[in-house]
Amino acid sequence: MPENNAAPDDLALDTTLPPRAGASPAQPDFDLDGDTLREECGVFGIFGHPAAAAITALGLHALQHRGQEAAGIVAFDGARFHSERRMGLVGDHFSSAATIERLPGSAAVGHVRYSTTGETILRNVQPLFAELESGGLAVAHNGNFTNGLTLRRELIREGAICQSTSDTEVVLLLTARSRRGRIMDRFTDALSQIEGAYALVALTNKKLIGARDPLGIRPLVLGELDGCPILCSETCALDIIGARFVRDIENGEVIVVDAAGVRSLKPFPHQPMRPCIFEYVYFARPDSIVHGRSVYETRKAMGAELAKESPADADVVVPVPDSGVPAALGYAAACGVPFELGIIRNHYVGRTFIQPTQAIRELGVRLKHNANRAVVAGKRVVLIDDSIVRGTTSVKIVQMMREAGAREVHMRISSPPITHPDFYGIDTPERDKLLAARMDLEGMRRFMGADSLAFLSIDGIYRAMGYAGRDPRRPQFTDHCFTGDYPTRLTDQHGDPDRRQMSLLAEAS
Ligand code: AMP
């Protein structure tokens, strides 16, 4: 890596405690700088374009909603890799010509990061880079490995040296240590050991690589600009640069882009697809098309279903901006009540969730939203939000409506109650912090001080996506946040069932 990385990356020196020898893989027992290793992120990669880094910066800008804490780009100029990784927003660091000039080359990968609780440290900022036997490898990852801690602990025990506390590093370490020959074989050998969710882009000195986990939990699409292939999390990152959408990367598919063109590999045993339903509820940008489905239209349909299931006698439908807007439009149209902007959002404050502590998070909510008194005073208001996680937003917003003179406040949520944490790269906290896991419907209503409260049902969310009841064509989305039906093993949480079995057999013999 050239010297220009040295300054920012050096700032990241901090003290990670090593794992205790013999610790159970089921219970992570070491402090990872307060970083839970879970990340919500956006990824982008382009191959063969003279303005690779500038285009990657624009792509990351369009993916900013997927992660606002840090951003990074690694570019390859035919001889050397160049890396710029920064804390903060893409626009703060990657809009200057000087930064882009430090990233020469016609191939680049980039990443926006949105860590969960705990501080983000610079050495976790992606793309992560390592020099392997075969040359450099940069990896940018969206998702979360559900056996990442277990693999990491094993690797450290075997002598691997970790530079970060990010689970993404496991990909680099496993690729480096693979006994296979060619880089693609080593890379897929590494991925075959990983459980959980990943949408990855990686860069070698000859190839841009994209990979999606066998269930396709997180999204990844293939696009094209001036004949140059692009891999990115969402189609909105193609739109910003005028690139053409080619297709979704399939579950379990590995895409290799090099001088010979684009190749598709299917190195893993086939499994049915289980994309995450929460991308449609909250995470993806409304102007993106995910698996052929407009996120905006889907959210509107969720609002319309909610209106059918849980109408409210009201004068105005008010969205919790911005994420509640499409569902509120759908709700208002379906029940014939006027849609009004009864809450105004200050767009210059980051997302509520990026603040690490509850106190700051609460402060963030107040900074972010204000009641539009002219719309709500004296009215019966239906508030629409896309989801309730901890309940922080709802409590504040209901109170805000009352203070602005609303006569009644009815809360409607355009997704089912989130009762289970996510382990696949979306920041939902431990179960005991999820409002719907702690309280029943009436308890939640009282907690937030609303006159009534209703959530969209599970069947309702599938109806909104065009699948009625037990329609056998209904694709198996993963809806674990609402049902607890996790699509993979949760090895870091529960231990490795195969190993447990083996040790039971050993004990028995
Ligand atoms: P809470 O205030 O904890 O109940 O969170 C709910 C609010 O956060 C809603 O307005 C959602 O739009 C938004 N939200 C839902 N899921 C997430 C997430 N994973 N990260 C950030 N914000 C979220």
Side-chain angles (χ1 to χ4, degrees), residues 22-56:
S24 155
Q27 285 144 14
D29 64 335
F30 53 99
D31 178 6
L32 297 157
D33 296 341
D35 191 313
T36 62
L37 298 188
R38 288 187 289 148
E39 293 163 20
E40 305 176 62
C41 307
V43 296
F44 188 97
I46 183 162
F47 189 85
H49 200 288
I55 289 168
T56 302

PDB file of all heavy atoms in Angstrom, residues 22-56:
ATOM      1  N   GLY A  22      -9.260 -21.316  25.058  1.00  0.00           N
ATOM      2  CA  GLY A  22     -10.232 -22.299  25.506  1.00  0.00           C
ATOM      3  C   GLY A  22     -11.623 -21.749  25.717  1.00  0.00           C
ATOM      4  O   GLY A  22     -12.492 -22.416  26.237  1.00  0.00           O
ATOM      5  N   ALA A  23     -11.846 -20.495  25.348  1.00  0.00           N
ATOM      6  CA  ALA A  23     -13.174 -19.911  25.547  1.00  0.00           C
ATOM      7  C   ALA A  23     -14.178 -20.598  24.636  1.00  0.00           C
ATOM      8  O   ALA A  23     -13.849 -21.034  23.554  1.00  0.00           O
ATOM      9  CB  ALA A  23     -13.132 -18.426  25.214  1.00  0.00           C
ATOM     10  N   SER A  24     -15.412 -20.675  25.115  1.00  0.00           N
ATOM     11  CA  SER A  24     -16.445 -21.306  24.305  1.00  0.00           C
ATOM     12  C   SER A  24     -16.794 -20.438  23.124  1.00  0.00           C
ATOM     13  O   SER A  24     -17.023 -19.246  23.272  1.00  0.00           O
ATOM     14  CB  SER A  24     -17.696 -21.512  25.165  1.00  0.00           C
ATOM     15  OG  SER A  24     -18.814 -21.559  24.333  1.00  0.00           O
ATOM     16  N   PRO A  25     -16.824 -21.013  21.932  1.00  0.00           N
ATOM     17  CA  PRO A  25     -17.156 -20.194  20.781  1.00  0.00           C
ATOM     18  C   PRO A  25     -18.585 -19.672  20.839  1.00  0.00           C
ATOM     19  O   PRO A  25     -18.938 -18.730  20.196  1.00  0.00           O
ATOM     20  CB  PRO A  25     -16.978 -21.146  19.591  1.00  0.00           C
ATOM     21  CG  PRO A  25     -16.948 -22.511  20.154  1.00  0.00           C
ATOM     22  CD  PRO A  25     -16.605 -22.402  21.601  1.00  0.00           C
ATOM     23  N   ALA A  26     -19.416 -20.322  21.671  1.00  0.00           N
ATOM     24  CA  ALA A  26     -20.811 -19.896  21.712  1.00  0.00           C
ATOM     25  C   ALA A  26     -20.973 -18.570  22.438  1.00  0.00           C
ATOM     26  O   ALA A  26     -21.913 -17.854  22.208  1.00  0.00           O
ATOM     27  CB  ALA A  26     -21.651 -20.960  22.403  1.00  0.00           C
ATOM     28  N   GLN A  27     -20.053 -18.257  23.358  1.00  0.00           N
ATOM     29  CA  GLN A  27     -20.200 -17.021  24.104  1.00  0.00           C
ATOM     30  C   GLN A  27     -18.995 -16.136  23.898  1.00  0.00           C
ATOM     31  O   GLN A  27     -17.974 -16.312  24.553  1.00  0.00           O
ATOM     32  CB  GLN A  27     -20.341 -17.325  25.594  1.00  0.00           C
ATOM     33  CG  GLN A  27     -21.706 -17.866  25.913  1.00  0.00           C
ATOM     34  CD  GLN A  27     -21.632 -18.903  26.983  1.00  0.00           C
ATOM     35  OE1 GLN A  27     -20.632 -19.051  27.662  1.00  0.00           O
ATOM     36  NE2 GLN A  27     -22.702 -19.647  27.125  1.00  0.00           N
ATOM     37  N   PRO A  28     -19.080 -15.189  22.976  1.00  0.00           N
ATOM     38  CA  PRO A  28     -17.960 -14.302  22.764  1.00  0.00           C
ATOM     39  C   PRO A  28     -17.588 -13.663  24.102  1.00  0.00           C
ATOM     40  O   PRO A  28     -18.438 -13.077  24.746  1.00  0.00           O
ATOM     41  CB  PRO A  28     -18.516 -13.245  21.798  1.00  0.00           C
ATOM     42  CG  PRO A  28     -19.713 -13.875  21.174  1.00  0.00           C
ATOM     43  CD  PRO A  28     -20.229 -14.873  22.151  1.00  0.00           C
ATOM     44  N   ASP A  29     -16.353 -13.846  24.533  1.00  0.00           N
ATOM     45  CA  ASP A  29     -16.024 -13.388  25.876  1.00  0.00           C
ATOM     46  C   ASP A  29     -14.998 -12.286  25.855  1.00  0.00           C
ATOM     47  O   ASP A  29     -14.428 -11.941  26.846  1.00  0.00           O
ATOM     48  CB  ASP A  29     -15.491 -14.572  26.687  1.00  0.00           C
ATOM     49  CG  ASP A  29     -14.208 -15.082  26.112  1.00  0.00           C
ATOM     50  OD1 ASP A  29     -13.985 -14.889  24.907  1.00  0.00           O
ATOM     51  OD2 ASP A  29     -13.414 -15.649  26.851  1.00  0.00           O
ATOM     52  N   PHE A  30     -14.707 -11.754  24.692  1.00  0.00           N
ATOM     53  CA  PHE A  30     -13.715 -10.698  24.698  1.00  0.00           C
ATOM     54  C   PHE A  30     -14.303  -9.415  24.150  1.00  0.00           C
ATOM     55  O   PHE A  30     -15.199  -9.421  23.336  1.00  0.00           O
ATOM     56  CB  PHE A  30     -12.455 -11.103  23.939  1.00  0.00           C
ATOM     57  CG  PHE A  30     -12.694 -11.612  22.539  1.00  0.00           C
ATOM     58  CD1 PHE A  30     -12.514 -10.784  21.453  1.00  0.00           C
ATOM     59  CD2 PHE A  30     -13.087 -12.929  22.316  1.00  0.00           C
ATOM     60  CE1 PHE A  30     -12.709 -11.257  20.170  1.00  0.00           C
ATOM     61  CE2 PHE A  30     -13.279 -13.403  21.040  1.00  0.00           C
ATOM     62  CZ  PHE A  30     -13.094 -12.564  19.959  1.00  0.00           C
ATOM     63  N   ASP A  31     -13.790  -8.351  24.682  1.00  0.00           N
ATOM     64  CA  ASP A  31     -14.314  -7.042  24.320  1.00  0.00           C
ATOM     65  C   ASP A  31     -13.729  -6.621  22.974  1.00  0.00           C
ATOM     66  O   ASP A  31     -12.537  -6.440  22.842  1.00  0.00           O
ATOM     67  CB  ASP A  31     -13.902  -6.054  25.409  1.00  0.00           C
ATOM     68  CG  ASP A  31     -14.379  -4.659  25.083  1.00  0.00           C
ATOM     69  OD1 ASP A  31     -15.106  -4.489  24.099  1.00  0.00           O
ATOM     70  OD2 ASP A  31     -14.002  -3.746  25.811  1.00  0.00           O
ATOM     71  N   LEU A  32     -14.571  -6.491  22.016  1.00  0.00           N
ATOM     72  CA  LEU A  32     -14.084  -6.116  20.691  1.00  0.00           C
ATOM     73  C   LEU A  32     -14.209  -4.611  20.535  1.00  0.00           C
ATOM     74  O   LEU A  32     -14.915  -4.106  19.682  1.00  0.00           O
ATOM     75  CB  LEU A  32     -14.891  -6.855  19.629  1.00  0.00           C
ATOM     76  CG  LEU A  32     -14.704  -8.363  19.727  1.00  0.00           C
ATOM     77  CD1 LEU A  32     -15.867  -9.086  19.116  1.00  0.00           C
ATOM     78  CD2 LEU A  32     -13.413  -8.778  19.066  1.00  0.00           C
ATOM     79  N   ASP A  33     -13.566  -3.885  21.403  1.00  0.00           N
ATOM     80  CA  ASP A  33     -13.625  -2.424  21.383  1.00  0.00           C
ATOM     81  C   ASP A  33     -15.061  -1.946  21.479  1.00  0.00           C
ATOM     82  O   ASP A  33     -15.413  -0.913  20.925  1.00  0.00           O
ATOM     83  CB  ASP A  33     -13.013  -1.860  20.091  1.00  0.00           C
ATOM     84  CG  ASP A  33     -11.549  -2.183  19.990  1.00  0.00           C
ATOM     85  OD1 ASP A  33     -10.961  -2.500  21.026  1.00  0.00           O
ATOM     86  OD2 ASP A  33     -11.014  -2.096  18.880  1.00  0.00           O
ATOM     87  N   GLY A  34     -15.893  -2.723  22.125  1.00  0.00           N
ATOM     88  CA  GLY A  34     -17.294  -2.333  22.204  1.00  0.00           C
ATOM     89  C   GLY A  34     -17.962  -2.437  20.856  1.00  0.00           C
ATOM     90  O   GLY A  34     -19.077  -1.999  20.665  1.00  0.00           O
ATOM     91  N   ASP A  35     -17.307  -3.008  19.882  1.00  0.00           N
ATOM     92  CA  ASP A  35     -17.880  -3.109  18.545  1.00  0.00           C
ATOM     93  C   ASP A  35     -18.468  -4.505  18.415  1.00  0.00           C
ATOM     94  O   ASP A  35     -17.780  -5.492  18.642  1.00  0.00           O
ATOM     95  CB  ASP A  35     -16.760  -2.911  17.516  1.00  0.00           C
ATOM     96  CG  ASP A  35     -17.328  -2.749  16.138  1.00  0.00           C
ATOM     97  OD1 ASP A  35     -18.202  -3.543  15.752  1.00  0.00           O
ATOM     98  OD2 ASP A  35     -16.884  -1.836  15.456  1.00  0.00           O
ATOM     99  N   THR A  36     -19.731  -4.597  18.071  1.00  0.00           N
ATOM    100  CA  THR A  36     -20.379  -5.895  18.071  1.00  0.00           C
ATOM    101  C   THR A  36     -20.068  -6.700  16.826  1.00  0.00           C
ATOM    102  O   THR A  36     -20.560  -7.799  16.682  1.00  0.00           O
ATOM    103  CB  THR A  36     -21.901  -5.732  18.133  1.00  0.00           C
ATOM    104  OG1 THR A  36     -22.298  -5.024  16.970  1.00  0.00           O
ATOM    105  CG2 THR A  36     -22.338  -5.002  19.364  1.00  0.00           C
ATOM    106  N   LEU A  37     -19.290  -6.166  15.941  1.00  0.00           N
ATOM    107  CA  LEU A  37     -18.913  -6.827  14.688  1.00  0.00           C
ATOM    108  C   LEU A  37     -20.046  -6.861  13.675  1.00  0.00           C
ATOM    109  O   LEU A  37     -19.878  -7.376  12.589  1.00  0.00           O
ATOM    110  CB  LEU A  37     -18.460  -8.271  14.901  1.00  0.00           C
ATOM    111  CG  LEU A  37     -17.243  -8.496  15.759  1.00  0.00           C
ATOM    112  CD1 LEU A  37     -16.842  -9.955  15.689  1.00  0.00           C
ATOM    113  CD2 LEU A  37     -16.100  -7.627  15.337  1.00  0.00           C
ATOM    114  N   ARG A  38     -21.207  -6.368  14.039  1.00  0.00           N
ATOM    115  CA  ARG A  38     -22.272  -6.385  13.044  1.00  0.00           C
ATOM    116  C   ARG A  38     -22.221  -5.089  12.262  1.00  0.00           C
ATOM    117  O   ARG A  38     -21.966  -4.036  12.818  1.00  0.00           O
ATOM    118  CB  ARG A  38     -23.628  -6.536  13.721  1.00  0.00           C
ATOM    119  CG  ARG A  38     -23.819  -7.937  14.263  1.00  0.00           C
ATOM    120  CD  ARG A  38     -25.187  -8.129  14.773  1.00  0.00           C
ATOM    121  NE  ARG A  38     -25.408  -7.387  15.993  1.00  0.00           N
ATOM    122  CZ  ARG A  38     -26.575  -6.885  16.332  1.00  0.00           C
ATOM    123  NH1 ARG A  38     -27.596  -7.004  15.554  1.00  0.00           N
ATOM    124  NH2 ARG A  38     -26.713  -6.239  17.462  1.00  0.00           N
ATOM    125  N   GLU A  39     -22.501  -5.178  10.985  1.00  0.00           N
ATOM    126  CA  GLU A  39     -22.418  -3.982  10.161  1.00  0.00           C
ATOM    127  C   GLU A  39     -23.543  -3.963   9.156  1.00  0.00           C
ATOM    128  O   GLU A  39     -23.893  -4.982   8.600  1.00  0.00           O
ATOM    129  CB  GLU A  39     -21.086  -3.969   9.400  1.00  0.00           C
ATOM    130  CG  GLU A  39     -19.911  -3.814  10.324  1.00  0.00           C
ATOM    131  CD  GLU A  39     -18.619  -4.206   9.684  1.00  0.00           C
ATOM    132  OE1 GLU A  39     -18.564  -4.245   8.454  1.00  0.00           O
ATOM    133  OE2 GLU A  39     -17.686  -4.466  10.429  1.00  0.00           O
ATOM    134  N   GLU A  40     -24.084  -2.797   8.964  1.00  0.00           N
ATOM    135  CA  GLU A  40     -25.018  -2.605   7.860  1.00  0.00           C
ATOM    136  C   GLU A  40     -24.262  -1.759   6.878  1.00  0.00           C
ATOM    137  O   GLU A  40     -23.681  -0.757   7.255  1.00  0.00           O
ATOM    138  CB  GLU A  40     -26.213  -1.797   8.306  1.00  0.00           C
ATOM    139  CG  GLU A  40     -26.922  -2.340   9.466  1.00  0.00           C
ATOM    140  CD  GLU A  40     -28.010  -1.382   9.858  1.00  0.00           C
ATOM    141  OE1 GLU A  40     -28.907  -1.167   9.040  1.00  0.00           O
ATOM    142  OE2 GLU A  40     -27.953  -0.866  10.953  1.00  0.00           O
ATOM    143  N   CYS A  41     -24.309  -2.114   5.638  1.00  0.00           N
ATOM    144  CA  CYS A  41     -23.406  -1.421   4.749  1.00  0.00           C
ATOM    145  C   CYS A  41     -23.909  -1.392   3.323  1.00  0.00           C
ATOM    146  O   CYS A  41     -24.878  -2.056   2.972  1.00  0.00           O
ATOM    147  CB  CYS A  41     -22.046  -2.119   4.752  1.00  0.00           C
ATOM    148  SG  CYS A  41     -21.391  -2.315   6.398  1.00  0.00           S
ATOM    149  N   GLY A  42     -23.188  -0.628   2.511  1.00  0.00           N
ATOM    150  CA  GLY A  42     -23.410  -0.624   1.081  1.00  0.00           C
ATOM    151  C   GLY A  42     -22.086  -0.865   0.388  1.00  0.00           C
ATOM    152  O   GLY A  42     -21.029  -0.427   0.871  1.00  0.00           O
ATOM    153  N   VAL A  43     -22.126  -1.577  -0.739  1.00  0.00           N
ATOM    154  CA  VAL A  43     -20.883  -1.877  -1.453  1.00  0.00           C
ATOM    155  C   VAL A  43     -21.017  -1.476  -2.924  1.00  0.00           C
ATOM    156  O   VAL A  43     -22.122  -1.448  -3.479  1.00  0.00           O
ATOM    157  CB  VAL A  43     -20.503  -3.379  -1.357  1.00  0.00           C
ATOM    158  CG1 VAL A  43     -20.218  -3.764   0.078  1.00  0.00           C
ATOM    159  CG2 VAL A  43     -21.578  -4.282  -1.958  1.00  0.00           C
ATOM    160  N   PHE A  44     -19.866  -1.170  -3.527  1.00  0.00           N
ATOM    161  CA  PHE A  44     -19.846  -0.762  -4.932  1.00  0.00           C
ATOM    162  C   PHE A  44     -18.498  -1.178  -5.510  1.00  0.00           C
ATOM    163  O   PHE A  44     -17.469  -1.066  -4.859  1.00  0.00           O
ATOM    164  CB  PHE A  44     -19.991   0.767  -5.023  1.00  0.00           C
ATOM    165  CG  PHE A  44     -20.174   1.291  -6.418  1.00  0.00           C
ATOM    166  CD1 PHE A  44     -21.449   1.570  -6.907  1.00  0.00           C
ATOM    167  CD2 PHE A  44     -19.077   1.490  -7.255  1.00  0.00           C
ATOM    168  CE1 PHE A  44     -21.633   2.046  -8.206  1.00  0.00           C
ATOM    169  CE2 PHE A  44     -19.246   1.961  -8.552  1.00  0.00           C
ATOM    170  CZ  PHE A  44     -20.533   2.241  -9.021  1.00  0.00           C
ATOM    171  N   GLY A  45     -18.503  -1.635  -6.764  1.00  0.00           N
ATOM    172  CA  GLY A  45     -17.251  -1.969  -7.444  1.00  0.00           C
ATOM    173  C   GLY A  45     -17.400  -1.753  -8.932  1.00  0.00           C
ATOM    174  O   GLY A  45     -18.480  -1.959  -9.501  1.00  0.00           O
ATOM    175  N   ILE A  46     -16.335  -1.309  -9.576  1.00  0.00           N
ATOM    176  CA  ILE A  46     -16.357  -1.110 -11.040  1.00  0.00           C
ATOM    177  C   ILE A  46     -15.031  -1.583 -11.610  1.00  0.00           C
ATOM    178  O   ILE A  46     -13.984  -1.468 -10.962  1.00  0.00           O
ATOM    179  CB  ILE A  46     -16.649   0.366 -11.403  1.00  0.00           C
ATOM    180  CG1 ILE A  46     -16.737   0.548 -12.931  1.00  0.00           C
ATOM    181  CG2 ILE A  46     -15.623   1.323 -10.804  1.00  0.00           C
ATOM    182  CD1 ILE A  46     -17.430   1.819 -13.379  1.00  0.00           C
ATOM    183  N   PHE A  47     -15.073  -2.098 -12.849  1.00  0.00           N
ATOM    184  CA  PHE A  47     -13.868  -2.657 -13.470  1.00  0.00           C
ATOM    185  C   PHE A  47     -13.688  -2.066 -14.875  1.00  0.00           C
ATOM    186  O   PHE A  47     -14.619  -2.055 -15.677  1.00  0.00           O
ATOM    187  CB  PHE A  47     -14.001  -4.174 -13.581  1.00  0.00           C
ATOM    188  CG  PHE A  47     -12.741  -4.865 -14.000  1.00  0.00           C
ATOM    189  CD1 PHE A  47     -11.778  -5.218 -13.061  1.00  0.00           C
ATOM    190  CD2 PHE A  47     -12.509  -5.147 -15.337  1.00  0.00           C
ATOM    191  CE1 PHE A  47     -10.612  -5.851 -13.444  1.00  0.00           C
ATOM    192  CE2 PHE A  47     -11.339  -5.787 -15.724  1.00  0.00           C
ATOM    193  CZ  PHE A  47     -10.380  -6.142 -14.773  1.00  0.00           C
ATOM    194  N   GLY A  48     -12.486  -1.550 -15.146  1.00  0.00           N
ATOM    195  CA  GLY A  48     -12.132  -1.164 -16.516  1.00  0.00           C
ATOM    196  C   GLY A  48     -12.484   0.258 -16.906  1.00  0.00           C
ATOM    197  O   GLY A  48     -12.441   0.593 -18.089  1.00  0.00           O
ATOM    198  N   HIS A  49     -12.817   1.108 -15.937  1.00  0.00           N
ATOM    199  CA  HIS A  49     -13.206   2.481 -16.276  1.00  0.00           C
ATOM    200  C   HIS A  49     -12.110   3.464 -15.852  1.00  0.00           C
ATOM    201  O   HIS A  49     -11.628   3.389 -14.721  1.00  0.00           O
ATOM    202  CB  HIS A  49     -14.522   2.842 -15.589  1.00  0.00           C
ATOM    203  CG  HIS A  49     -15.218   3.989 -16.236  1.00  0.00           C
ATOM    204  ND1 HIS A  49     -14.764   5.284 -16.141  1.00  0.00           N
ATOM    205  CD2 HIS A  49     -16.330   4.044 -17.016  1.00  0.00           C
ATOM    206  CE1 HIS A  49     -15.569   6.080 -16.819  1.00  0.00           C
ATOM    207  NE2 HIS A  49     -16.531   5.350 -17.365  1.00  0.00           N
ATOM    208  N   PRO A  50     -11.755   4.412 -16.738  1.00  0.00           N
ATOM    209  CA  PRO A  50     -10.662   5.332 -16.378  1.00  0.00           C
ATOM    210  C   PRO A  50     -10.980   6.200 -15.150  1.00  0.00           C
ATOM    211  O   PRO A  50     -10.069   6.686 -14.488  1.00  0.00           O
ATOM    212  CB  PRO A  50     -10.491   6.202 -17.630  1.00  0.00           C
ATOM    213  CG  PRO A  50     -11.702   5.959 -18.474  1.00  0.00           C
ATOM    214  CD  PRO A  50     -12.227   4.607 -18.114  1.00  0.00           C
ATOM    215  N   ALA A  51     -12.275   6.391 -14.878  1.00  0.00           N
ATOM    216  CA  ALA A  51     -12.646   7.220 -13.721  1.00  0.00           C
ATOM    217  C   ALA A  51     -13.203   6.338 -12.596  1.00  0.00           C
ATOM    218  O   ALA A  51     -14.175   6.695 -11.926  1.00  0.00           O
ATOM    219  CB  ALA A  51     -13.662   8.265 -14.138  1.00  0.00           C
ATOM    220  N   ALA A  52     -12.576   5.189 -12.374  1.00  0.00           N
ATOM    221  CA  ALA A  52     -13.138   4.183 -11.456  1.00  0.00           C
ATOM    222  C   ALA A  52     -13.414   4.748 -10.052  1.00  0.00           C
ATOM    223  O   ALA A  52     -14.498   4.546  -9.498  1.00  0.00           O
ATOM    224  CB  ALA A  52     -12.211   2.975 -11.368  1.00  0.00           C
ATOM    225  N   ALA A  53     -12.452   5.472  -9.478  1.00  0.00           N
ATOM    226  CA  ALA A  53     -12.627   5.942  -8.094  1.00  0.00           C
ATOM    227  C   ALA A  53     -13.723   7.010  -8.017  1.00  0.00           C
ATOM    228  O   ALA A  53     -14.530   7.011  -7.074  1.00  0.00           O
ATOM    229  CB  ALA A  53     -11.311   6.494  -7.554  1.00  0.00           C
ATOM    230  N   ALA A  54     -13.756   7.926  -8.997  1.00  0.00           N
ATOM    231  CA  ALA A  54     -14.772   8.984  -8.975  1.00  0.00           C
ATOM    232  C   ALA A  54     -16.164   8.373  -9.103  1.00  0.00           C
ATOM    233  O   ALA A  54     -17.106   8.787  -8.412  1.00  0.00           O
ATOM    234  CB  ALA A  54     -14.510   9.975 -10.110  1.00  0.00           C
ATOM    235  N   ILE A  55     -16.284   7.365  -9.958  1.00  0.00           N
ATOM    236  CA  ILE A  55     -17.588   6.704 -10.135  1.00  0.00           C
ATOM    237  C   ILE A  55     -17.963   5.947  -8.860  1.00  0.00           C
ATOM    238  O   ILE A  55     -19.113   5.969  -8.427  1.00  0.00           O
ATOM    239  CB  ILE A  55     -17.535   5.771 -11.362  1.00  0.00           C
ATOM    240  CG1 ILE A  55     -17.489   6.637 -12.623  1.00  0.00           C
ATOM    241  CG2 ILE A  55     -18.715   4.816 -11.399  1.00  0.00           C
ATOM    242  CD1 ILE A  55     -17.143   5.878 -13.875  1.00  0.00           C
ATOM    243  N   THR A  56     -16.985   5.316  -8.261  1.00  0.00           N
ATOM    244  CA  THR A  56     -17.249   4.593  -7.011  1.00  0.00           C
ATOM    245  C   THR A  56     -17.716   5.567  -5.930  1.00  0.00           C
ATOM    246  O   THR A  56     -18.653   5.275  -5.179  1.00  0.00           O
ATOM    247  CB  THR A  56     -15.986   3.829  -6.560  1.00  0.00           C
ATOM    248  OG1 THR A  56     -15.623   2.936  -7.613  1.00  0.00           O
ATOM    249  CG2 THR A  56     -16.218   3.043  -5.279  1.00  0.00           C
TER     250      THR A  56
END
